[in-house]
């Protein structure tokens, strides 16, 4: 047996090795899988699978479907590499008011309440001096609040775009 040309210790059969297609295929598959992103349903499944010769080694990566996150193995622990993020926009309309709200439902639920940021994607007309923020944030959604800088200012707005970004570290 020899190893690959990239120094990744993937075993490759040589011409003088006894023919064994199963060993050849398994060496290639295991060598490549260990260097790819391994996908598991949960951390429990990952722990149950990655034992013995398949035990994790430093630098391995795995993706867990239940958390929708990427992890890297650091010698004795899996550390999260990626944050879970979602983003979108909503159009808001109101009449003769100094504030407006609308409820937003995330495309898929987070495991806990994320940090949410909002931005009024227009600086013209009715919202030139307005601000936005998120409140009542839960794992499944939040409420957007648009409000006038001066509470006594009553305006109307139609289809004003508000962008949002949600992140859970």
């Amino acid at each position: 047996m020899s190893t690959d040309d990239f120094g990744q210790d993937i075993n490759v059969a040589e011409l003088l090795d006894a023919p064994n297609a199963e060993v050849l295929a398994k060496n290639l598959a295991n060598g490549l899988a260990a260097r790819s992103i391994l996908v598991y349903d949960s951390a429990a499944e990952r722990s149950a699978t990655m034992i013995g010769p398949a035990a994790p080694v430093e630098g391995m990566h795995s993706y867990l479907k239940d958390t929708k996150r990427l992890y890297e193995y650091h010698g004795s622990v899996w550390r999260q590499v990626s944050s879970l993020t979602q983003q979108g926009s909503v159009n808001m309309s109101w009449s003769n008011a100094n504030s407006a709200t609308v409820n937003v439902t995330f495309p898929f639920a987070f495991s806990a309440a994320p940090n949410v940021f909002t931005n009024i994607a227009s600086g013209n007309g009715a919202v030139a001096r307005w601000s936005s923020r998120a409140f009542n944030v839960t794992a499944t959604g939040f409420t957007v609040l648009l409000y006038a800088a001066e509470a006594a200012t009553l305006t109307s707005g139609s289809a004003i775009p508000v962008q949002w970004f949600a992140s859970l570290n």
Side-chain angles (χ1 to χ4, degrees), residues 22-78:
E22 183 180 352
V23 169
L24 172 64
K26 188 160 188 133
N27 284 342
L28 289 173
N30 285 345
L32 295 172
R35 286 151 183 84
S36 65
I37 297 175
L38 306 167
V39 179
Y40 298 99
D41 288 333
S42 65
E45 180 190 7
R46 179 180 63 197
S47 295
T49 303
M50 298 189 78
I51 56 174
V57 295
E58 189 159 352
M60 282 184 155
H61 288 86
S62 69
Y63 176 82
L64 301 183
K65 293 179 185 177
D66 62 349
T67 63
K68 296 179 177 61
R69 295 196 187 169
L70 182 66
Y71 297 83
E72 181 176 20
Y73 192 69
H74 288 267
S76 62
V77 65
W78 287 97

Side-chain angles (χ1 to χ4, degrees), residues 1-4 8-14 17-36 53:
M1 290 276 173
S2 66
T3 61
D4 65 284
Q8 298 299 300
D9 295 325
I10 298 174
N11 291 325
V12 180
E14 295 181 318
D17 292 338
N20 189 329
E22 183 180 352
V23 169
L24 172 64
K26 188 160 188 133
N27 284 342
L28 289 173
N30 285 345
L32 295 172
R35 286 151 183 84
S36 65

Side-chain angles (χ1 to χ4, degrees), residues 157-168:
S158 178
I160 302 298
V162 177
Q163 302 162 327
W164 59 267
F165 177 83
S167 175
L168 184 62

